[in-house]
DNA sequence: TTGAAAGCGATACCAA
DNA sequence: TTGGTATCGCTTTCAA
């Protein structure tokens, strides 16, 4: 009824614990005689014995686990990344310990610590609050633990997979400007003003370079927040003719707000955003967005871990992925004569 | 440079390992003198010592980890569940080991085994292939490991959280029949014909009860598969006036197919599905769907685990959640005179 | 071919 | 108030 241990198997088979270990791990050119092998195997089957992975870890110093810290479980973008990591891990027969920072700096720090206390073979961290956990990160680096920082940092003494946000944002801005837009609003939906800073900054820079006035609406992180923010922006005068949104998740709310407001996309107003989550292809209209394949990003991060696991002395690498502008149906040329529509309320649950 | 151990701290502080353990775990009414306490604390800080969670686990028999097996990382539905589990776990200061079966029976079995080898405090399993891993499940039950089966089983000697699929499917069918639909197609998008069986069965039963001929299109599990399947169904004659889809993920592809085919929803054809994933509220039109709150489902499962952790002798409970029909904009009355539209190709990447 | 025993890093009992 | 040490379940060297 209790979980059987190696000793139980040994006792039942009438051999020593070492022998059990031998047959289970199929040591060098089966030293074990076929007869005892069978006896042990029978005992194993009878008891339903499985080696205790914790004990093995302690002994072997390895856990076959890689840890992944993501900022938020509500944003499909991070699932895509997680999916990439998981797929790669699965291939290498590693399991995935997943921690969400829930968009909170304290929880993020907590997550980093939880991961580093455990004897995890590799850590993949998607940090939102880069300096908050800095001491812990430095320690991990000092201890030479296999670690990949995804997204932000460009430190040189650690592996990083870096998505060039500034370049991506510039692409989006160039696209909108080229379409003739001048009133371009930015929906800045973040939980903390340290997040998404690079995208915001690139927006500001592009607006300034074009000699235009920035128009930023700060809001929360749900599609509903995006909905509200879009409504606010639509009421500004002059009304923006294009909206750049911090990510696709929010953009989905923004799209709906615009429709509910009585405008059409992209005839009256254009919308572009970031991440290229799967569903941006299925909303109506299909979303123009800037992104690199997120699940690829996860894969690359995982592969980097496995490379380092294989050769701990590899020089640190920093993979930069560049965002691609995926033009779909939510952006179009600036309208010639904007009209004044009725305001409507949001429907639905 | 190497990760410091308790012994390193003890040496540096000039105390025994036991003492280090005492100050770190703050044993009963600080037996330790303030002075040595400080010395130890200083050494801990200096070395950046963190207790090794694996070693603790081996000693304590507990890991502060709960394991979650989900069928598929590509379906947002399971993420919602995972989110519920993660949230609850986080509150209790437990971490989440996430394994995806990738819609494959062998991987599912593999996942169950990986989880049970590890000394995980509680297992939450969302099984798609119920008898495949049966022996392993029975063993877990025999060993009295905290275990919650989500979804399928109704075994009495194990905790289960059960979503009444049949009742949910009946709700959807009743809704469509009431709207006057007679040609109701079913988009059966599964990786394996053991999956989604209950939904399919309920559809068949309802069709039969209404004296109608079933019309099932079997396909894969991506929105794109749903798209293709819908196209097939639309070409049948008589063309179905309503489509019931195995889940929201596929329904999103179905919606797009219908639009591309040149029909309007729900004027020409109605669509209903299952799960109520977040995004079903943001597609166009909003999706009529049957679901219980998935993240609540995860929460309930996690709470069940924690209850059992607290009191291992609790009688086994079986929580049944009933699916709710959420009527939105993708279903409407049967059209009076169907027309013959142009066929179009799918656009977009 | 098999077994005894050291050791992975922690906790906690018992003694000092 | 502090320290020695058995123990958790396993792997692996060394000896038999």
């Amino acid at each position: 009824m209790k979980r059987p241990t190696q000793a139980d198997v040994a006792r039942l088979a009438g051999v020593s614990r070492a022998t059990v270990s031998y047959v289970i791990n199929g040591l060098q050119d089966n030293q074990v005689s076929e007869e005892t092998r069978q006896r042990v195997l029978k005992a194993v089957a009878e008891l339903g014995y499985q080696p205790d992975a914790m004990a093995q870890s302690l002994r072997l110093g390895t856990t076959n686990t890689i840890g992944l810290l993501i900022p938020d479980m509500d944003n499909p973008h991070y699932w895509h990344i997680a999916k990439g990591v998981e797929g790669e891990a699965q291939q290498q027969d590693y399991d995935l310990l997943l921690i969400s920072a829930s968009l909170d700096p304290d929880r993020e720090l907590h997550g980093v610590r939880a991961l580093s206390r455990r004897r995890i073979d590799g850590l993949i961290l998607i940090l939102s609050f880069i300096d908050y956990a800095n001491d812990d990160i430095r320690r991990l680096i000092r201890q030479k633990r296999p670690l990949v920082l995804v997204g932000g940092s460009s430190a040189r003494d650690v592996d990083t997979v870096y998505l060039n946000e500034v370049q991506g944002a510039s692409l989006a801005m160039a696209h909108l400007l080229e379409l003739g837009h001048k009133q371009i609003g930015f929906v800045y939906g973040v939980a903390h003003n340290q997040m998404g800073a690079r995208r915001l900054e690139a927006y500001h820079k592009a607006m300034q370079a074009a000699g235009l006035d920035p128009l930023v609406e700060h809001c929360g992180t749900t599609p509903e927040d995006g909905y509200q923010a879009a409504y606010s922006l639509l009421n500004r005068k002059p009304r923006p003719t294009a909206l750049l949104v911090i990510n696709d998740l929010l953009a989905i709310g923004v799209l709906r707000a615009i429709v509910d407001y009585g405008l059409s996309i992209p005839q009256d107003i254009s919308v572009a955003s970031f991440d290229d989550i799967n569903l941006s292809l299925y909303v109506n209209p299909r979303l123009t967005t800037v992104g690199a394949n997120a699940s690829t990003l996860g894969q690359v991060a995982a592969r980097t871990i496995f490379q380092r696991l294989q050769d701990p002395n590899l020089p640190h690498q920093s993979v930069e992925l560049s965002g691609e502008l995926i033009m779909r149906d939510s952006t179009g040329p600036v309208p010639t004569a904007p009209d004044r529509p009725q305001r409507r309320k949001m429907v639905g649950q």
Side-chain angles (χ1 to χ4, degrees), chain A:
Chain A
M1 188 188 108
K2 265 298 197 186
R3 202 171 154 197
T5 90
Q6 194 183 61
D8 296 326
V9 177
R11 203 171 310 121
L12 182 59
V15 297
S16 78
R17 294 170 43 222
T19 305
V20 175
S21 178
Y22 292 148
V23 0
I24 285 191
N25 300 314
L27 224 55
Q28 51 218 21
D29 304 314
N30 41 321
Q31 298 178 329
V32 182
S33 73
E34 188 53 28
E35 194 232 320
T36 47
R37 229 180 75 81
Q38 291 305 335
R39 240 190 11 255
V40 170
L41 254 22
K42 184 154 159 269
V44 165
E46 193 162 324
L47 295 175
Y49 168 75
Q50 289 180 297
D52 181 319
M54 289 301 148
Q56 288 186 133
S57 295
L58 186 60
R59 182 67 234 254
L60 264 16
T62 175
T63 55
N64 266 242
T65 308
I66 82 149
L68 172 64
L69 177 74
I70 62 174
D72 179 21
M73 290 199 53
D74 276 329
N75 191 333
H77 179 55
Y78 299 117
W79 310 348
H80 296 332
I81 298 181
K83 160 87 182 171
V85 172
E86 202 269 350
E88 208 64 22
Q90 195 163 95
Q91 276 188 31
Q92 309 278 344
D93 207 35
Y94 275 65
D95 294 329
L96 184 68
L97 193 69
L98 180 74
I99 297 198
S100 162
S102 304
L103 297 173
D104 174 67
D106 289 314
R107 289 232 59 89
E108 181 169 294
L109 182 56
H110 182 88
V112 172
R113 295 209 169 133
L115 251 21
S116 62
R117 258 206 323 276
R118 289 160 175 282
R119 197 179 277 236
I120 294 242
D121 297 331
L123 307 195
I124 299 177
L125 305 180
I126 308 180
L127 265 14
S128 311
F129 310 96
I130 192 61
D131 32 313
Y132 211 82
N134 200 50
D135 289 354
D136 291 79
I137 305 292
R138 298 320 308 178
R139 183 193 316 144
L140 288 168
I141 295 175
R142 204 167 347 108
Q143 291 172 186
K144 292 195 179 293
R145 296 248 254 150
L147 167 67
V148 173
L149 260 25
V150 175
S153 165
S154 45
R156 277 280 153 246
D157 53 353
V158 57
D159 292 320
T160 57
V161 182
Y162 177 90
L163 179 57
N164 193 331
E165 306 256 19
V166 174
Q167 168 257 4
S170 309
L171 243 41
M173 285 304 292
H175 174 56
L176 293 176
L177 291 168
E178 194 174 311
L179 288 169
H181 294 280
K182 304 236 176 295
Q183 329 290 343
I184 305 176
F186 190 82
V187 177
Y188 183 47
V190 291
H192 191 285
N193 58 13
Q194 225 178 105
M195 303 183 68
R198 254 179 299 259
R199 291 174 188 184
L200 177 63
E201 198 183 323
Y203 162 78
H204 271 128
K205 210 163 274 175
M207 288 300 273
Q208 196 177 344
L212 301 173
D213 288 334
L215 175 60
V216 175
E217 182 77 21
H218 193 134
C219 68
T221 57
T222 68
E224 176 63 28
D225 292 322
Y227 185 97
Q228 303 295 350
Y231 240 109
S232 285
L233 284 169
L234 292 174
N235 283 326
R236 305 284 186 102
K237 31 182 35 181
R239 193 176 67 220
T241 62
L243 259 27
L244 184 58
V245 187
I246 188 81
N247 63 38
D248 292 346
L249 187 64
L250 286 246
I252 285 168
V254 168
L255 292 183
R256 177 141 315 261
I258 292 171
V259 171
D260 284 355
Y261 195 88
L263 296 173
S264 347
I265 314 165
Q267 290 76 19
D268 300 318
I269 185 165
S270 289
V271 176
S273 55
F274 297 88
D275 287 352
D276 189 26
I277 62 176
N278 278 192
L279 275 134
S280 61
L281 182 57
Y282 288 99
V283 291
N284 215 314
R286 296 172 174 95
L287 207 47
T288 292
T289 185
V290 168
N293 188 301
S295 120
T296 302
L297 189 104
Q299 270 180 38
V300 171
R303 287 204 194 116
T304 307
I305 289 282
F306 291 122
Q307 279 174 32
R308 182 150 307 282
L309 246 23
Q310 259 198 307
D311 179 0
N313 294 317
L314 233 46
H316 291 285
Q317 45 179 298
S318 179
V319 181
E320 171 171 320
L321 302 182
S322 50
E324 198 184 338
L325 175 67
I326 298 146
M327 282 183 268
R328 292 201 276 247
D329 314 332
S330 66
T331 48
V334 65
T336 43
D339 48 352
R340 290 201 127 274
Q342 291 279 310
R343 194 198 231 267
R344 286 199 276 148
K345 284 259 188 68
M346 183 174 189
V347 198
Q349 74 157 38

